[in-house]
């Protein structure tokens, strides 16, 4: 019998998954969260399936020591490469960011042309295409890797002529194809939403998987009778943050994304798990 | 008694160290080389001293299994953070890229104003400044972190208006200070030499530590009577490349830097060392 008051475990390769945490905080504010960001080994987007799976497995082991009641894989690359395998290895309910994003994109598109911007790993896995076609078999899904978006976000250039120029180069081929729906398939990308939206124009609906993931998580916990019914008490350590490196730097970036006020992040040696 | 015919071990966080390998190949063409690129955990430039030291120690252990006769730390961040500690732990001659670069900069400058462009880690360590002042105590050394340079190089934008614009932003403060010498303090940066040179102008001497490191390595091996006297035979596996992830991608990038023709790179699990 799982404990309703237990925290939800959320992990990502670094800070990007905090856009998912932000949505969970908004949509199910009673839930406790344990977050792990693999800041020592970030980024995952350019790594192989084998490596991302090995890293994800270590993180799941760590989250289990925190007695979480469910796990959110808040990283597109880990959802694409590792989720299928690691969810077999535990009894815990587990949810990634890809399926919820794919589902809403399939339901949204009118002309069947869907773009996915993501890391190299997520694009090469063709996972969005696979899930979208399960719902909408005739959909035309075009992926585009945008390797400079993460470093640009981490350098703080959210609204900047350089970011505009790079975004134009990446997005031109999706505009030419005439997509009407674009999935922001990397957890950093919602932070570039206004830049991407400006270039794509009003005719293109932007899908943020973070939002959809929080919605599906709420549903999943509800069905499993695992929603926390009472608000955690003060001093209950509602939100806990762990990283594999650079706690201070993480805290600074995290506080720019989440308005909650993150007071501390603890470093753990993830290779030991 | 060490073996003159043994290979030189060279390591880096990823592909950048190949600019050092290229110089070693040119300056001491008889030497065998075993290269390790930590492509699974790249980049090092934004990681902490503790993490970079732990990773470097694992790599030294791996290179020792390859029976190398000397080790070159072909990564500025690892040279800055880890070299002092790891060189105490082995008998092998070990050389980093920072000291040779610092030495030639100190000898070159006329007005005593030296700029260092590098990763966040290298800049924060103030190591170039420390070494330069040992030689030239009144030198004024100004470091500038350029976090977007590595992703821009890895995206292939070596000569591009976006790279020009970013470089201008990073370099303006060094131009304003009036430096006459600029150290390219990250092994990726020599690939941006023409962009940086154009912006700094002809009055500023660019120092490439890769070149100086190969020169000092030759001297060090000569003094220790460890230079290989005969050219390795065909089929002798003169150059061997190991990585922690993404062998194919490494090979593609490596072949764009080194004209030698890298036929294969082998993946090892570095966390086991």
């Amino acid at each position: 019998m799982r404990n309703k008051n237990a925290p939800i475990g959320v992990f990502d390769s670094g800070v990007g998954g905090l856009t998912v945490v932000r949505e969970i905080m908004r949509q199910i504010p009673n839930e406790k969260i344990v977050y792990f960001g693999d800041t020592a080994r970030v980024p995952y987007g350019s790594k192989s399936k084998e490596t991302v799976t090995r890293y994800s497995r270590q993180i799941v082991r760590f989250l289990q020591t925190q007695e979480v009641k469910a796990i959110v894989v808040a990283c597109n690359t880990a959802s694409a490469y590792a989720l299928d395998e690691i969810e077999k290895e535990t009894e815990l309910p587990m949810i990634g960011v890809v399926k919820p994003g794919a589902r809403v994109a399939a339901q949204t598109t009118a002309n069947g042309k869907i773009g996915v911007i993501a890391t190299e790993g997520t694009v090469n896995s063709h996972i969005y295409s696979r899930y979208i076609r399960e719902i909408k078999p005739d959909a035309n899904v075009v992926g585009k890797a945008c390797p400079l978006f993460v470093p640009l976000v981490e350098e703080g250039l959210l609204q900047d002529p350089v970011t505009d120029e790079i975004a134009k180069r990446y997005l031109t081929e999706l505009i030419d194809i005439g997509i009407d729906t674009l999935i922001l398939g990397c957890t950093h990308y919602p932070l570039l939403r206004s830049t991407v939206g400006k270039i794509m124009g009003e005719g293109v609906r932007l899908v943020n998987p973070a939002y959809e993931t929080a919605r599906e998580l709420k549903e999943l916990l509800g069905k499993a009778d695992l929603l926390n019914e009472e608000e955690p008490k003060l001093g209950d350590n509602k939100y806990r943050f762990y990283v594999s490196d650079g706690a201070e730097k993480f805290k600074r970036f995290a506080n720019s994304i989440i308005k909650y006020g993150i007071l501390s992040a603890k470093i753990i040696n993830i290779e030991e798990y």
Side-chain angles (χ1 to χ4, degrees), chain A residues 5-272:
Chain A
N5 301 313
I8 297 163
V10 182
F11 77 88
D12 177 46
S13 58
V15 295
L18 292 168
T19 62
V20 179
V21 166
R22 183 171 65 178
E23 286 299 334
I24 298 173
M25 288 172 167
R26 277 182 196 154
Q27 296 186 35
I28 32 181
N30 275 353
E31 297 300 326
K32 292 186 226 166
I33 296 172
V34 176
Y35 183 85
F36 177 78
D38 199 358
T39 46
R41 303 186 294 195
V42 73
Y44 282 8
S46 51
K47 295 180 172 56
S48 69
K49 182 177 167 65
E50 291 65 40
T51 296
V52 171
T53 304
R54 190 169 72 245
Y55 290 177
S56 301
R57 189 174 284 125
Q58 288 172 331
I59 297 168
V60 167
R61 279 193 213 114
F62 163 70
L63 289 173
Q64 284 176 313
T65 67
Q66 302 299 303
E67 299 185 341
V68 297
K69 64 181 174 187
I71 289 179
V72 179
V73 185
C75 168
N76 281 270
T77 311
S79 299
Y81 275 158
L83 181 58
D84 281 354
E85 211 167 313
I86 57 176
E87 75 178 346
K88 285 186 222 143
E89 298 165 5
T90 157
E91 304 271 292
L92 286 174
M94 204 178 281
I95 184 174
V97 285
V98 171
K99 250 188 216 171
R103 190 171 302 138
V104 75
Q107 288 158 353
T108 301
T109 183
N111 71 7
K113 292 178 184 169
I114 299 169
V116 181
I117 51 174
T119 64
E120 219 185 310
T122 304
V123 168
N124 290 342
S125 74
H126 299 286
I127 189 162
Y128 272 103
S129 178
R130 211 174 81 210
Y131 285 137
I132 289 169
R133 289 201 185 157
E134 280 176 12
I135 302 168
K136 198 174 169 64
D138 61 340
N140 178 10
V141 183
V142 183
K144 176 71 189 169
C146 306
L148 283 169
F149 275 178
V150 170
L152 286 167
V153 166
E154 303 214 334
E155 187 73 336
L157 304 182
L158 302 185
Q159 289 181 308
D160 191 282
V162 163
T163 307
D164 287 348
E165 168 63 23
I166 292 290
K168 269 180 211 152
R169 293 187 197 180
Y170 285 145
L171 299 172
T172 300
E173 84 182 62
L174 298 176
I175 294 172
D176 291 347
I177 289 164
I179 60 165
D180 71 355
T181 304
L182 178 62
I183 299 174
L184 306 175
C186 166
T187 49
H188 277 76
Y189 296 0
L191 302 171
L192 295 176
R193 188 180 188 116
S194 74
T195 299
V196 172
K198 200 169 59 186
I199 293 166
M200 296 309 295
E202 286 189 2
V204 176
R205 159 92 189 265
L206 303 186
V207 173
N208 176 4
Y211 177 84
E212 308 302 332
T213 302
R215 220 183 37 77
E216 287 205 14
L217 173 67
K218 184 178 179 180
E219 220 176 277
L220 178 82
L221 293 177
K223 278 187 192 154
D225 196 23
L226 278 174
L227 279 169
N228 197 358
E229 281 149 11
E230 50 198 47
E231 205 179 330
K233 293 182 227 31
L234 265 175
D236 218 9
N237 244 335
K238 190 171 176 186
Y239 301 132
R240 281 178 288 149
F241 297 88
Y242 294 88
V243 291
S244 46
D245 197 22
E248 276 308 306
K249 199 174 152 193
F250 172 85
K251 237 179 61 187
R252 272 200 308 279
F253 196 90
N255 279 319
S256 75
I257 297 182
I258 295 176
K259 303 306 169 198
Y260 161 76
I262 293 166
L263 298 178
S264 73
K266 210 174 148 186
I267 293 184
I268 59 155
N269 184 357
I270 193 66
E271 290 176 18
E272 283 173 2

